PDB file of all heavy atoms in Angstrom:
ATOM      1  N   PRO A1075      46.428 -91.351  58.797  1.00 45.00           N
ATOM      2  CA  PRO A1075      47.283 -91.527  57.630  1.00 45.00           C
ATOM      3  C   PRO A1075      48.482 -92.396  58.005  1.00 45.00           C
ATOM      4  O   PRO A1075      48.865 -92.423  59.144  1.00 45.00           O
ATOM      5  CB  PRO A1075      47.667 -90.114  57.307  1.00 45.00           C
ATOM      6  CG  PRO A1075      47.619 -89.282  58.580  1.00 45.00           C
ATOM      7  CD  PRO A1075      46.508 -89.928  59.305  1.00 45.00           C
ATOM      8  N   ALA A1076      48.945 -93.001  56.975  1.00 46.00           N
ATOM      9  CA  ALA A1076      50.156 -93.861  57.194  1.00 46.00           C
ATOM     10  C   ALA A1076      51.358 -92.883  57.401  1.00 46.00           C
ATOM     11  O   ALA A1076      51.544 -91.885  56.859  1.00 46.00           O
ATOM     12  CB  ALA A1076      50.446 -94.673  55.929  1.00 46.00           C
ATOM     13  N   ARG A1429      52.253 -99.393  48.169  1.00 85.00           N
ATOM     14  CA  ARG A1429      51.307 -98.599  47.346  1.00 85.00           C
ATOM     15  C   ARG A1429      50.049 -98.232  48.111  1.00 85.00           C
ATOM     16  O   ARG A1429      49.573 -97.045  48.088  1.00 85.00           O
ATOM     17  CB  ARG A1429      50.970 -99.372  46.109  1.00 85.00           C
ATOM     18  CG  ARG A1429      50.119 -98.597  45.108  1.00 85.00           C
ATOM     19  CD  ARG A1429      49.477 -99.483  44.079  1.00 85.00           C
ATOM     20  NE  ARG A1429      48.400-100.354  44.759  1.00 85.00           N
ATOM     21  CZ  ARG A1429      47.201 -99.995  44.995  1.00 85.00           C
ATOM     22  NH1 ARG A1429      46.757 -98.774  44.609  1.00 85.00           N
ATOM     23  NH2 ARG A1429      46.390-100.827  45.534  1.00 85.00           N
ATOM     24  N   ARG A1430      49.509 -99.115  48.884  1.00 81.00           N
ATOM     25  CA  ARG A1430      48.304 -98.903  49.662  1.00 81.00           C
ATOM     26  C   ARG A1430      48.566 -97.863  50.751  1.00 81.00           C
ATOM     27  O   ARG A1430      47.804 -97.009  51.011  1.00 81.00           O
ATOM     28  CB  ARG A1430      47.767-100.216  50.241  1.00 81.00           C
ATOM     29  CG  ARG A1430      46.543-100.094  51.120  1.00 81.00           C
ATOM     30  CD  ARG A1430      45.388 -99.608  50.291  1.00 81.00           C
ATOM     31  NE  ARG A1430      44.148 -99.529  51.119  1.00 81.00           N
ATOM     32  CZ  ARG A1430      43.064 -98.930  50.734  1.00 81.00           C
ATOM     33  NH1 ARG A1430      42.921 -98.505  49.528  1.00 81.00           N
ATOM     34  NH2 ARG A1430      41.983 -98.977  51.606  1.00 81.00           N
ATOM     35  N   ALA A1431      49.682 -98.071  51.438  1.00 81.00           N
ATOM     36  CA  ALA A1431      50.010 -97.144  52.524  1.00 81.00           C
ATOM     37  C   ALA A1431      50.290 -95.736  51.959  1.00 81.00           C
ATOM     38  O   ALA A1431      49.846 -94.758  52.558  1.00 81.00           O
ATOM     39  CB  ALA A1431      51.294 -97.683  53.272  1.00 81.00           C
ATOM     40  N   LEU A1432      50.875 -95.597  50.898  1.00 82.00           N
ATOM     41  CA  LEU A1432      51.207 -94.252  50.338  1.00 82.00           C
ATOM     42  C   LEU A1432      49.811 -93.616  49.823  1.00 82.00           C
ATOM     43  O   LEU A1432      49.725 -92.391  49.929  1.00 82.00           O
ATOM     44  CB  LEU A1432      52.215 -94.355  49.216  1.00 82.00           C
ATOM     45  CG  LEU A1432      53.644 -94.752  49.630  1.00 82.00           C
ATOM     46  CD1 LEU A1432      54.471 -95.053  48.432  1.00 82.00           C
ATOM     47  CD2 LEU A1432      54.219 -93.531  50.398  1.00 82.00           C
ATOM     48  N   SER A1433      49.028 -94.385  49.240  1.00 80.00           N
ATOM     49  CA  SER A1433      47.737 -93.886  48.745  1.00 80.00           C
ATOM     50  C   SER A1433      46.811 -93.423  49.904  1.00 80.00           C
ATOM     51  O   SER A1433      46.130 -92.411  49.787  1.00 80.00           O
ATOM     52  CB  SER A1433      46.974 -94.879  47.955  1.00 80.00           C
ATOM     53  OG  SER A1433      46.585 -95.940  48.763  1.00 80.00           O
ATOM     54  N   LEU A1434      46.928 -94.068  51.066  1.00 76.00           N
ATOM     55  CA  LEU A1434      46.208 -93.634  52.247  1.00 76.00           C
ATOM     56  C   LEU A1434      46.796 -92.389  52.846  1.00 76.00           C
ATOM     57  O   LEU A1434      46.119 -91.502  53.417  1.00 76.00           O
ATOM     58  CB  LEU A1434      46.165 -94.676  53.227  1.00 76.00           C
ATOM     59  CG  LEU A1434      45.365 -95.959  52.924  1.00 76.00           C
ATOM     60  CD1 LEU A1434      45.532 -97.053  53.990  1.00 76.00           C
ATOM     61  CD2 LEU A1434      43.859 -95.607  52.797  1.00 76.00           C
ATOM     62  N   ASN A1435      48.053 -92.295  52.764  1.00 74.00           N
ATOM     63  CA  ASN A1435      48.803 -91.142  53.290  1.00 74.00           C
ATOM     64  C   ASN A1435      48.732 -89.879  52.370  1.00 74.00           C
ATOM     65  O   ASN A1435      48.860 -88.728  52.819  1.00 74.00           O
ATOM     66  CB  ASN A1435      50.351 -91.464  53.579  1.00 74.00           C
ATOM     67  CG  ASN A1435      51.078 -90.389  54.301  1.00 74.00           C
ATOM     68  OD1 ASN A1435      50.548 -89.882  55.318  1.00 74.00           O
ATOM     69  ND2 ASN A1435      52.212 -90.032  53.788  1.00 74.00           N
ATOM     70  N   ARG A1436      48.413 -90.080  51.124  1.00 69.00           N
ATOM     71  CA  ARG A1436      48.334 -88.945  50.165  1.00 69.00           C
ATOM     72  C   ARG A1436      47.111 -88.059  50.473  1.00 69.00           C
ATOM     73  O   ARG A1436      46.009 -88.586  50.602  1.00 69.00           O
ATOM     74  CB  ARG A1436      48.302 -89.509  48.756  1.00 69.00           C
ATOM     75  CG  ARG A1436      48.021 -88.481  47.675  1.00 69.00           C
ATOM     76  CD  ARG A1436      48.292 -88.981  46.276  1.00 69.00           C
ATOM     77  NE  ARG A1436      47.751 -90.310  46.097  1.00 69.00           N
ATOM     78  CZ  ARG A1436      46.547 -90.480  45.517  1.00 69.00           C
ATOM     79  NH1 ARG A1436      45.761 -89.502  45.211  1.00 69.00           N
ATOM     80  NH2 ARG A1436      46.109 -91.760  45.353  1.00 69.00           N
ATOM     81  N   LYS A1437      47.411 -86.859  50.462  1.00 62.00           N
ATOM     82  CA  LYS A1437      46.248 -85.833  50.542  1.00 62.00           C
ATOM     83  C   LYS A1437      45.810 -85.578  49.180  1.00 62.00           C
ATOM     84  O   LYS A1437      46.239 -86.111  48.175  1.00 62.00           O
ATOM     85  CB  LYS A1437      46.790 -84.615  51.198  1.00 62.00           C
ATOM     86  CG  LYS A1437      47.256 -84.812  52.654  1.00 62.00           C
ATOM     87  CD  LYS A1437      47.747 -83.494  53.246  1.00 62.00           C
ATOM     88  CE  LYS A1437      48.224 -83.712  54.652  1.00 62.00           C
ATOM     89  NZ  LYS A1437      48.740 -82.464  55.305  1.00 62.00           N
ATOM     90  N   ARG A1438      44.846 -84.824  49.040  1.00 57.00           N
ATOM     91  CA  ARG A1438      44.267 -84.502  47.663  1.00 57.00           C
ATOM     92  C   ARG A1438      45.317 -83.934  46.822  1.00 57.00           C
ATOM     93  O   ARG A1438      46.124 -83.045  47.175  1.00 57.00           O
ATOM     94  CB  ARG A1438      43.133 -83.456  47.809  1.00 57.00           C
ATOM     95  CG  ARG A1438      41.913 -84.058  48.507  1.00 57.00           C
ATOM     96  CD  ARG A1438      40.761 -83.016  48.603  1.00 57.00           C
ATOM     97  NE  ARG A1438      39.598 -83.549  49.280  1.00 57.00           N
ATOM     98  CZ  ARG A1438      38.480 -82.841  49.439  1.00 57.00           C
ATOM     99  NH1 ARG A1438      38.428 -81.584  49.012  1.00 57.00           N
ATOM    100  NH2 ARG A1438      37.478 -83.385  50.141  1.00 57.00           N
ATOM    101  N   GLY A1439      45.403 -84.418  45.633  1.00 58.00           N
ATOM    102  CA  GLY A1439      46.380 -83.949  44.622  1.00 58.00           C
ATOM    103  C   GLY A1439      46.923 -85.173  43.867  1.00 58.00           C
ATOM    104  O   GLY A1439      46.475 -86.330  44.053  1.00 58.00           O
ATOM    105  N   SER A1440      47.862 -84.884  43.093  1.00 64.00           N
ATOM    106  CA  SER A1440      48.504 -85.976  42.358  1.00 64.00           C
ATOM    107  C   SER A1440      49.352 -86.966  43.155  1.00 64.00           C
ATOM    108  O   SER A1440      49.847 -86.564  44.233  1.00 64.00           O
ATOM    109  CB  SER A1440      49.361 -85.412  41.234  1.00 64.00           C
ATOM    110  OG  SER A1440      50.442 -84.591  41.787  1.00 64.00           O
ATOM    111  N   ARG A1441      49.601 -88.124  42.618  1.00 68.00           N
ATOM    112  CA  ARG A1441      50.421 -89.127  43.373  1.00 68.00           C
ATOM    113  C   ARG A1441      51.920 -88.700  43.397  1.00 68.00           C
ATOM    114  O   ARG A1441      52.433 -88.014  42.440  1.00 68.00           O
ATOM    115  CB  ARG A1441      50.335 -90.512  42.751  1.00 68.00           C
ATOM    116  CG  ARG A1441      48.968 -91.007  42.772  1.00 68.00           C
ATOM    117  CD  ARG A1441      48.931 -92.462  42.271  1.00 68.00           C
ATOM    118  NE  ARG A1441      49.431 -92.604  40.911  1.00 68.00           N
ATOM    119  CZ  ARG A1441      49.576 -93.799  40.306  1.00 68.00           C
ATOM    120  NH1 ARG A1441      49.343 -94.893  40.903  1.00 68.00           N
ATOM    121  NH2 ARG A1441      49.979 -93.828  39.027  1.00 68.00           N
ATOM    122  N   THR A1442      52.620 -89.101  44.442  1.00 76.00           N
ATOM    123  CA  THR A1442      54.041 -88.830  44.493  1.00 76.00           C
ATOM    124  C   THR A1442      54.776 -89.855  43.613  1.00 76.00           C
ATOM    125  O   THR A1442      54.252 -90.815  43.124  1.00 76.00           O
ATOM    126  CB  THR A1442      54.557 -89.018  45.995  1.00 76.00           C
ATOM    127  OG1 THR A1442      54.360 -90.312  46.381  1.00 76.00           O
ATOM    128  CG2 THR A1442      53.740 -88.009  46.957  1.00 76.00           C
ATOM    129  N   GLU A1445      54.963 -93.258  45.108  1.00 76.00           N
ATOM    130  CA  GLU A1445      53.645 -94.039  45.010  1.00 76.00           C
ATOM    131  C   GLU A1445      53.483 -94.513  43.591  1.00 76.00           C
ATOM    132  O   GLU A1445      53.090 -95.678  43.322  1.00 76.00           O
ATOM    133  CB  GLU A1445      52.475 -93.101  45.352  1.00 76.00           C
ATOM    134  CG  GLU A1445      51.154 -93.811  45.304  1.00 76.00           C
ATOM    135  CD  GLU A1445      49.985 -92.942  45.573  1.00 76.00           C
ATOM    136  OE1 GLU A1445      50.203 -91.788  46.040  1.00 76.00           O
ATOM    137  OE2 GLU A1445      48.820 -93.411  45.366  1.00 76.00           O
ATOM    138  N   HIS A1446      53.816 -93.679  42.590  1.00 76.00           N
ATOM    139  CA  HIS A1446      53.801 -94.104  41.215  1.00 76.00           C
ATOM    140  C   HIS A1446      54.715 -95.348  41.029  1.00 76.00           C
ATOM    141  O   HIS A1446      54.443 -96.259  40.259  1.00 76.00           O
ATOM    142  CB  HIS A1446      54.105 -92.931  40.260  1.00 76.00           C
ATOM    143  CG  HIS A1446      53.960 -93.250  38.836  1.00 76.00           C
ATOM    144  ND1 HIS A1446      52.717 -93.410  38.251  1.00 76.00           N
ATOM    145  CD2 HIS A1446      54.916 -93.527  37.883  1.00 76.00           C
ATOM    146  CE1 HIS A1446      52.959 -93.713  36.968  1.00 76.00           C
ATOM    147  NE2 HIS A1446      54.228 -93.764  36.764  1.00 76.00           N
TER     148      HIS A1446
END
Side-chain angles (χ1 to χ4, degrees):
R1429 185 197 66 86
R1430 179 65 178 172
L1432 290 169
S1433 66
L1434 293 172
N1435 189 45
R1436 171 167 47 92
K1437 299 179 180 180
R1438 293 182 180 180
S1440 59
R1441 296 189 301 175
T1442 64
E1445 183 183 351
H1446 184 74

